[in-house]
Amino acid sequence: MQDLATLLTSDENLAPAWLSGKLVTPLAVGERLGAILADRVTAGCRSTGATRLRYAP
């Protein structure tokens, strides 16, 4: 496993340098994803330019 310092910023977001050039980025949401949280996650992803989202358990 890579050092988390290369993957995350100090506020625990994915590091821009790690994201650079990637077309797919994981987003962990925990064990349960209710409708309200799903809407918020979707809105957040869309606000950054995401055109497609995929859910995988």
Side-chain angles (χ1 to χ4, degrees), residues 3-5 20-21 23 28 34 38 45 49-50 52 54-55:
D3 181 11
L4 286 180
S20 179
L23 298 177
C45 292
R52 290 182 239 163
R54 177 177 292 185
Y55 166 77

Side-chain angles (χ1 to χ4, degrees), residues 8-56:
L8 302 175
T9 61
S10 60
D11 58 355
E12 297 184 356
N13 288 310
L14 292 171
W18 183 82
L19 289 171
S20 179
K22 290 186 174 57
L23 298 177
V24 176
T25 302
L27 177 65
V29 294
E31 292 183 24
R32 300 194 74 179
L33 181 63
I36 293 171
L37 181 55
D39 287 346
R40 292 180 74 186
V41 168
T42 299
C45 292
R46 298 264 188 242
S47 75
T48 65
T51 57
R52 290 182 239 163
L53 306 172
R54 177 177 292 185
Y55 166 77

